[in-house]
Amino acid sequence: MVESAESILLKYWGYDNFRPGQKDIVDQIHDGKDVLVLLPTGGGKSICFQVPALLKSGLTLVISPLIALMKDQVENLTSKGIPAVALHSGLSRDDTNQILNNALNGAYKLLYLSPERFTTQNFKGYLPNLNISLLVIDEAHCISMWGHDFRPEYRKIKSIVAQIAPHLPIIALTATATPKVQQDIQRNLQMEEADLFKSSFNRTNLYYEV
């Protein structure tokens, strides 16, 4: 029996319903379409790609710029019984290769790594043999020179992936993107036709007084 997005959400997260907009994003990704998601911090971005990762048969690669963020998400996923792992600079080469060999054998559903790790020769050697079903670009504003956390290695991601899996669906997510940064993200990831999902950044529990 094929699990639905709703059954996965309930099984692993204990929620009966998605937040507004989340289910549409999940459906678009599951259908193999590129998606750009602009949601505020705490808006539920991670569920938007973690649920589709469990719906798909292969491995989901998650490019993330912060080790602490990767570790936090992996710990959260593994605590729910979801096989996930992070490659980061704190690992030895032997540990890294062991994780990648496990990934080749289908041991994980989500593999987190930094853009710098993604572009190493060692990782690129494994990449063609990984059964990748979805590419996630978290903190996608880092791809833009107009963003506040520019990371040049982000700009190499699409060209590397295009050589291995040119039709691999991409979901790019960020909580901080001006229209200029948004255009830069789409252009560099070659996802100009991607569906855009954006919610209000207004916080009803905050007010400003001058």
Side-chain angles (χ1 to χ4, degrees), residues 13-76:
W13 282 271
Y15 300 141
D16 293 317
N17 298 293
F18 286 95
R19 293 182 183 179
Q22 284 182 328
K23 182 59 164 55
D24 292 332
I25 295 169
V26 169
D27 288 343
Q28 292 290 81
I29 297 169
H30 189 51
D31 290 341
K33 297 178 180 177
D34 293 340
V35 179
L36 176 58
V37 178
L38 306 181
L39 292 177
T41 300
K45 290 190 294 294
S46 58
I47 278 181
C48 292
F49 65 82
Q50 290 170 351
V51 170
L54 298 178
L55 285 169
K56 291 177 174 291
S57 59
L59 175 69
T60 290
L61 283 185
V62 185
I63 311 296
S64 177
L66 300 173
I67 292 176
L69 183 62
M70 287 191 278
K71 286 182 174 180
D72 182 65
Q73 291 204 17
V74 167
E75 288 175 7
N76 186 268

Side-chain angles (χ1 to χ4, degrees), residues 107-120:
Y108 313 112
K109 290 301 295 179
L110 297 102
L111 171 61
Y112 287 73
L113 70 166
S114 70
E116 290 79 13
R117 175 74 62 150
F118 182 86
T119 56
T120 62

